[in-house]
Amino acid sequence: MAFIYGRNDIPVKPVKNSQIAVLILAAGSGTRMESELPKVLHPICGRPMLFHVLRVALALKPASIGVVIGHQVEIVKKSAQEMFKECSISKPPQFIIQKKLLGSGNAVLESLPFLKKFKSVVVLCADTPLLTYESLYSLIQNHQAHNNLATLLSAKVSNPKGYGRVIRSPLGEVLKIVEETLATPKEAAINEINSGSYIFEVNALVEGLKEIGAKGEKKEHFLTDILEILRSKGGRIGVHLTPNSEEALGVNTRVQLAAAERIMNRRILERLMLSGVTVKDPASVHVDCDVDIARDVIIEPFVMIAGKSKIGKKTRIGAFSKLSNVEIGAECEIEMSRLDSCRLMDRSEIGPFSHIRPGSVIGPKVRIGNFSEVKASRIGTGSKVSHLSYIGDAEIGDNVNVGAGTITCNFDGKKKNQTVIETGAFVGSNVNLVAPVKVGRQALIAAGSTITEDVPAKAKAFARARQVNKV
Ligand code: UD1
Ligand code: CA
């Protein structure tokens, strides 16, 4: 089976009809998020909501994808273009600018010049990030099998508050969608909701959209009204009820954002566990969607793995560790530590309480021990920085021992300077290495020294006051 974008939860079974376009509605102002960031760019498991919807749209292999934007146009457009590039899609989406945010019906109306080139269109909301390929695929199949003019994806939920309700006839045919603000108490009690995903025949859309009137307090044009309009003209409309109701979750508030994050995280962890990763306490572990973890990795409670990260087989990530954008090799041990934008090679050990900062390349078989910080440094095979050190802008060779409390003094007040410690050197405890400085191969530095000049290979350097014992 083929997979997209390095993720193995979306099998690609392309829908055959190359006459289908996908339209993603992303123009809404997202008022209820109370945010400066456009709603559709709020991240869920490390990627913007819009990205998740774009990705599922791409999996359908449509003839084209249109994105309707209208609020903070430039920011949303730039992000969407980057998302496409990252998915290795050379053909950018078609952006449709909705001039006035007059509702979802108006958003589709503004898109008609783009849509007229296609026979059918799948309309998705950019704020439903949990949609699955399987459901959209079934929606399209159902629509085509029944020759419908419009088919809607619905879900049965325990709490329908805030969603449009699906009104059916006693025979089960869908009659219309009623928005919550306009629903009678009886309609509001219905728990089958509109997910905001539909497929339309474009001709029917053109006809129906003309008749949608402004409604509600904000005088908006509801796309949902089109079902009743098409039906009144004798057109077939259908509904596909998803068995997986959580995918219909629409994110309008930060409360729903958190709910979506939790569900997506659970999906990611389940996928990882089924592929051979032990997650000791899924309720306290958080893993982003671009994280790749090999078999027999053990993740202890209260761990977060964020960004684009990769973890090699049999590595153990100990409790209370946070890793972001890391590449970790096989059989590493990480204990209560923070690792950010760095690379750790096979069989290395970090922590407890260490901070590995961006640009560091460590290992293999290195030990960075208790309470140590490493920044933008390379540490070679078998070297040890076991206790209470700061290593910044350093190049450390193989089998170097860095004693407890050693500090690279890399900052002279203006710029950062490099420390080089060559292979086999031994740095005693509590040494200050005032950079720029170089310690040669197999040199030895006495404990407590402050080294300001280069140390030749195999030399023994003492840079401390001689002890005087007075009685
Ligand atoms: C909408 C549906 C509702 C459904 C719910 C599912 C309508 C009228 N209602 O309600 O039946 O249950 O989604 O989550 O469609 N948008 C634009 N331009 C606009 C207004 C909105 O592009 O002028 C976009 C938004 O960015 C969003 C989508 O349309 O992606 C839906 O808008 P939103 O305001 O979130 O609608 P809901 O109230 O959630
Ligand atoms: Ca919404």
Side-chain angles (χ1 to χ4, degrees):
M1 201 181 291
F3 298 109
I4 60 159
Y5 193 61
R7 293 277 312 276
N8 58 5
D9 56 346
I10 299 186
V12 177
K13 294 179 278 175
V15 173
K16 284 188 195 79
N17 198 334
S18 58
Q19 293 298 300
I20 298 180
V22 174
L23 186 70
I24 300 174
L25 308 185
S29 54
T31 322
R32 292 165 278 182
M33 292 294 280
E34 299 289 349
S35 176
E36 283 177 21
L37 184 69
K39 173 167 85 172
V40 298
L41 298 187
H42 275 262
I44 296 178
C45 291
R47 290 286 196 173
M49 253 189 269
L50 176 59
F51 179 89
H52 296 293
V53 179
L54 269 177
R55 211 167 47 89
V56 80
L58 283 167
L60 295 172
K61 301 231 161 162
S64 189
I65 295 181
V67 183
V68 187
I69 49 179
H71 174 69
Q72 300 199 43
V73 166
E74 286 313 315
I75 299 173
V76 178
K77 189 174 175 182
K78 194 162 166 266
S79 302
Q81 280 165 335
E82 279 165 17
M83 293 171 204
F84 260 65
K85 258 193 228 149
E86 285 208 50
C87 293
S88 307
I89 306 295
S90 51
K91 202 172 136 203
Q94 181 81 33
F95 291 101
I96 296 116
I97 312 275
Q98 188 186 5
K99 289 171 231 57
K100 285 190 184 158
L101 304 183
L102 295 174
S104 50
N106 177 263
V108 180
L109 186 71
E110 294 273 10
S111 311
L112 285 183
F114 160 69
L115 295 178
K116 278 179 178 165
K117 286 174 253 164
F118 308 97
K119 183 176 168 296
S120 319
V121 57
V122 173
V123 176
L124 306 175
C125 295
D127 63 356
T128 47
L130 300 171
L131 287 172
T132 63
Y133 173 82
E134 285 75 13
S135 287
L136 295 180
Y137 182 82
S138 305
L139 172 74
I140 297 169
Q141 296 274 303
N142 185 323
H143 176 81
Q144 292 174 341
H146 293 96
N147 277 321
N148 292 341
L149 293 184
T151 311
L152 132 93
L153 184 69
S154 75
K156 283 197 173 157
V157 295
S158 52
N159 179 8
K161 195 171 182 318
Y163 294 96
R165 312 293 205 278
V166 178
I167 313 296
R168 293 186 185 243
S169 74
L171 292 174
E173 300 159 313
V174 56
L175 300 176
K176 60 178 176 176
I177 295 169
V178 176
E179 290 306 308
E180 175 160 286
T181 44
L182 303 171
T184 62
K186 203 174 156 204
E187 288 168 336
I190 293 170
N191 72 341
E192 184 177 7
I193 57 126
N194 168 26
S195 71
S197 313
Y198 327 75
I199 175 165
F200 296 102
E201 291 307 290
V202 174
N203 287 339
L205 200 56
V206 172
E207 287 310 307
L209 283 172
K210 285 184 200 158
E211 296 185 25
I212 291 182
K215 267 190 177 169
E217 264 176 36
K218 296 188 204 154
K219 297 276 172 258
E220 284 186 317
H221 293 75
F222 295 160
L223 177 62
T224 43
D225 283 351
I226 199 167
L227 298 187
E228 193 179 7
I229 293 169
L230 294 179
R231 197 173 178 279
S232 70
K233 290 166 176 267
R236 281 185 67 94
I237 57 172
V239 57
H240 177 72
L241 175 66
T242 168
N244 172 19
S245 65
E246 65 186 21
E247 73 177 289
L249 179 74
V251 176
N252 294 327
T253 66
R254 309 248 188 177
V255 175
Q256 288 162 329
L257 183 73
E261 180 97 34
R262 178 179 282 235
I263 293 168
M264 192 171 286
N265 184 50
R266 195 203 67 221
R267 286 183 185 173
I268 292 168
L269 294 180
E270 283 175 2
R271 171 170 57 84
L272 289 171
M273 290 187 276
L274 291 173
S275 69
V277 175
T278 294
V279 182
K280 287 198 177 278
D281 176 24
S284 70
V285 169
H286 195 284
V287 175
D288 274 354
C289 66
D290 292 314
V291 175
D292 186 358
I293 307 184
R295 276 161 67 127
D296 293 320
V297 165
I298 297 175
I299 304 176
E300 294 187 353
F302 298 98
V303 164
M304 181 169 187
I305 309 174
K308 285 184 200 160
S309 294
K310 208 173 166 184
I311 318 280
K313 64 178 183 186
K314 296 188 186 168
T315 281
R316 190 179 60 83
I317 303 167
F320 300 101
S321 295
K322 180 174 179 189
L323 282 55
S324 328
N325 298 306
V326 294
E327 191 180 332
I328 310 285
E331 295 178 49
C332 293
E333 294 275 328
I334 297 165
E335 196 71 75
M336 278 196 232
S337 290
R338 168 85 176 107
L339 285 79
D340 185 9
S341 307
C342 60
R343 191 166 162 215
L344 185 65
M345 286 185 263
D346 296 353
R347 298 169 74 184
S348 294
E349 290 171 38
I350 305 289
F353 305 108
S354 288
H355 187 185
I356 313 296
R357 293 172 49 200
S360 300
V361 180
I362 293 170
K365 295 188 196 165
V366 160
R367 161 146 187 75
I368 309 287
N370 313 256
F371 302 96
S372 290
E373 176 179 348
V374 177
K375 187 219 68 169
S377 297
R378 164 89 185 95
I379 302 184
T381 309
S383 291
K384 291 188 173 63
V385 183
S386 296
H387 324 270
L388 300 152
S389 285
Y390 170 65
I391 304 295
D393 304 297
E395 182 75 37
I396 298 182
D398 301 341
N399 300 314
V400 168
N401 184 79
V402 176
T406 292
I407 305 290
T408 54
C409 310
N410 60 332
F411 188 47
D412 59 14
K414 289 194 184 108
K415 62 179 191 321
K416 301 287 166 66
N417 300 295
Q418 196 192 32
T419 299
V420 177
I421 308 177
E422 290 186 342
T423 291
F426 182 95
V427 180
S429 295
N430 208 25
V431 165
N432 300 311
L433 296 158
V434 182
V437 72
K438 181 172 160 184
V439 179
R441 289 173 83 87
Q442 293 170 19
L444 181 145
I445 298 176
S449 295
T450 293
I451 299 295
T452 53
E453 287 165 28
D454 289 355
V455 180
K458 297 190 175 172
K460 293 186 177 62
F462 295 83
R464 64 186 188 203
R466 188 173 283 276
Q467 182 173 338
V468 179
N469 291 333
K470 293 184 178 168
V471 195

Coordinates of all heavy atoms in Angstrom, one line a residue, residues 294 297 310-317 326-334 342-348 362 364:
A294 N 11.2 4.2 15.6 CA 11.4 2.9 15.2 C 10.9 1.9 16.2 O 10.5 2.2 17.3 CB 12.9 2.7 14.9
V297 N 11.3 1.1 20.6 CA 11.6 2.3 21.4 C 10.7 2.2 22.6 O 9.5 1.8 22.5 CB 11.4 3.5 20.6 CG1 11.4 4.8 21.4 CG2 12.5 3.7 19.5
K310 N 13.1 12.1 14.7 CA 13.3 10.7 14.3 C 14.0 10.0 15.4 O 15.0 10.5 15.9 CB 14.2 10.7 13.0 CG 13.9 9.5 12.1 CD 14.7 9.7 10.9 CE 14.7 8.3 10.2 NZ 15.4 8.2 9.0
I311 N 13.5 8.8 15.8 CA 14.1 8.1 16.9 C 14.4 6.7 16.5 O 13.6 6.0 15.9 CB 13.1 8.0 18.1 CG1 12.4 9.3 18.4 CG2 13.8 7.4 19.4 CD1 13.1 10.3 19.1
G312 N 15.7 6.3 16.7 CA 16.1 5.0 16.2 C 15.7 3.8 17.2 O 15.3 4.1 18.3
K313 N 15.8 2.6 16.7 CA 15.3 1.4 17.4 C 16.0 1.2 18.8 O 17.1 1.6 19.0 CB 15.4 0.2 16.6 CG 16.8 -0.2 16.3 CD 16.8 -1.5 15.5 CE 18.3 -1.9 15.3 NZ 18.5 -3.0 14.4
K314 N 15.2 0.7 19.7 CA 15.6 0.3 21.1 C 16.1 1.5 21.9 O 16.8 1.3 22.9 CB 16.7 -0.8 21.0 CG 16.2 -2.1 20.4 CD 17.2 -3.1 20.6 CE 16.8 -4.4 19.8 NZ 17.8 -5.4 19.7
T315 N 15.8 2.7 21.5 CA 16.1 3.8 22.4 C 15.1 4.0 23.5 O 13.9 3.6 23.3 CB 16.2 5.1 21.5 OG1 17.5 5.1 20.8 CG2 16.1 6.4 22.3
R316 N 15.5 4.4 24.6 CA 14.6 4.6 25.7 C 14.5 6.1 26.0 O 15.6 6.8 26.3 CB 15.0 3.9 27.0 CG 14.0 3.8 28.1 CD 14.4 3.0 29.3 NE 15.7 3.6 29.8 CZ 15.7 4.6 30.7 NH1 14.6 5.1 31.1 NH2 16.8 5.0 31.1
I317 N 13.3 6.7 26.0 CA 13.2 8.1 26.4 C 12.5 8.2 27.7 O 11.3 7.8 27.9 CB 12.3 8.8 25.3 CG1 13.0 8.6 23.9 CG2 12.2 10.3 25.6 CD1 12.2 8.9 22.8
V326 N 14.6 16.5 16.7 CA 15.9 15.8 16.9 C 16.0 14.6 16.0 O 15.0 14.0 15.5 CB 15.9 15.3 18.4 CG1 15.9 16.4 19.4 CG2 14.7 14.4 18.7
E327 N 17.2 14.2 15.9 CA 17.5 12.9 15.2 C 18.3 12.0 16.2 O 19.4 12.4 16.5 CB 18.3 13.1 13.9 CG 18.3 11.9 13.1 CD 19.1 12.1 11.8 OE1 19.1 13.2 11.3 OE2 19.6 11.0 11.3
I328 N 17.6 11.0 16.7 CA 18.3 10.2 17.7 C 18.5 8.8 17.1 O 17.7 8.2 16.4 CB 17.3 10.0 18.9 CG1 16.7 11.3 19.4 CG2 17.9 9.2 20.0 CD1 17.6 12.2 20.2
G329 N 19.7 8.3 17.4 CA 20.1 7.0 16.8 C 19.5 5.8 17.6 O 18.6 6.0 18.4
A330 N 20.0 4.6 17.4 CA 19.5 3.4 18.0 C 20.2 3.2 19.4 O 21.3 3.7 19.6 CB 19.8 2.2 17.2
E331 N 19.4 2.6 20.3 CA 19.9 2.2 21.6 C 20.5 3.3 22.4 O 21.5 3.2 23.1 CB 20.9 1.0 21.5 CG 20.3 -0.2 20.9 CD 21.3 -1.3 20.7 OE1 22.1 -1.6 21.6 OE2 21.4 -1.9 19.5
C332 N 19.9 4.5 22.3 CA 20.3 5.6 23.2 C 19.4 5.6 24.5 O 18.4 4.9 24.5 CB 20.1 6.9 22.5 SG 21.2 7.1 21.0
E333 N 19.9 6.2 25.5 CA 19.2 6.3 26.7 C 19.1 7.8 27.1 O 20.1 8.5 27.2 CB 20.0 5.7 27.9 CG 20.2 4.2 27.7 CD 19.0 3.4 28.3 OE1 18.4 3.9 29.3 OE2 18.7 2.3 27.8
I334 N 17.9 8.3 27.2 CA 17.7 9.7 27.5 C 16.9 9.8 28.8 O 15.8 9.2 29.0 CB 16.9 10.4 26.4 CG1 17.8 10.4 25.1 CG2 16.6 11.9 26.8 CD1 17.1 10.7 23.9
C342 N 18.9 18.8 17.5 CA 20.3 18.3 17.6 C 20.3 16.8 17.1 O 19.2 16.3 16.8 CB 20.8 18.3 19.0 SG 19.7 17.4 20.1
R343 N 21.5 16.3 17.0 CA 21.6 14.9 16.5 C 22.4 14.1 17.6 O 23.4 14.5 18.0 CB 22.3 14.9 15.2 CG 22.3 13.6 14.5 CD 22.7 13.7 13.1 NE 23.0 12.4 12.6 CZ 23.9 12.1 11.8 NH1 24.7 13.0 11.2 NH2 24.2 10.8 11.5
L344 N 21.8 12.9 17.9 CA 22.4 12.0 18.9 C 22.6 10.7 18.2 O 21.7 10.1 17.7 CB 21.5 11.9 20.1 CG 22.0 11.1 21.3 CD1 23.1 11.9 21.9 CD2 20.8 11.0 22.3
M345 N 23.9 10.3 18.2 CA 24.1 9.0 17.4 C 24.1 7.8 18.4 O 24.0 7.9 19.6 CB 25.5 9.1 16.7 CG 25.3 10.0 15.5 SD 26.7 10.1 14.4 CE 27.4 11.6 15.0
D346 N 24.1 6.6 17.7 CA 23.8 5.3 18.4 C 24.5 5.2 19.8 O 25.6 5.6 20.0 CB 24.2 4.2 17.5 CG 23.5 4.1 16.2 OD1 22.5 4.9 16.1 OD2 23.8 3.2 15.4
R347 N 23.8 4.6 20.7 CA 24.2 4.1 22.0 C 24.8 5.3 22.8 O 25.8 5.1 23.6 CB 25.2 3.0 21.8 CG 24.5 1.8 21.2 CD 25.5 0.7 20.7 NE 26.0 0.0 21.8 CZ 26.9 -1.0 21.7 NH1 27.4 -1.3 20.5 NH2 27.3 -1.6 22.7
S348 N 24.3 6.4 22.7 CA 24.7 7.6 23.5 C 23.7 7.7 24.7 O 22.6 7.2 24.6 CB 24.7 8.8 22.7 OG 25.7 8.7 21.7
I362 N 26.2 14.7 18.5 CA 26.8 13.9 19.6 C 26.9 12.4 19.3 O 25.9 11.8 18.9 CB 26.0 14.2 20.9 CG1 26.1 15.7 21.2 CG2 26.3 13.3 22.0 CD1 25.2 16.2 22.3
P364 N 28.8 8.5 18.2 CA 28.1 7.6 19.0 C 28.8 7.3 20.3 O 30.0 7.7 20.5 CB 28.2 6.3 18.1 CG 29.3 6.5 17.1 CD 29.4 8.0 17.0

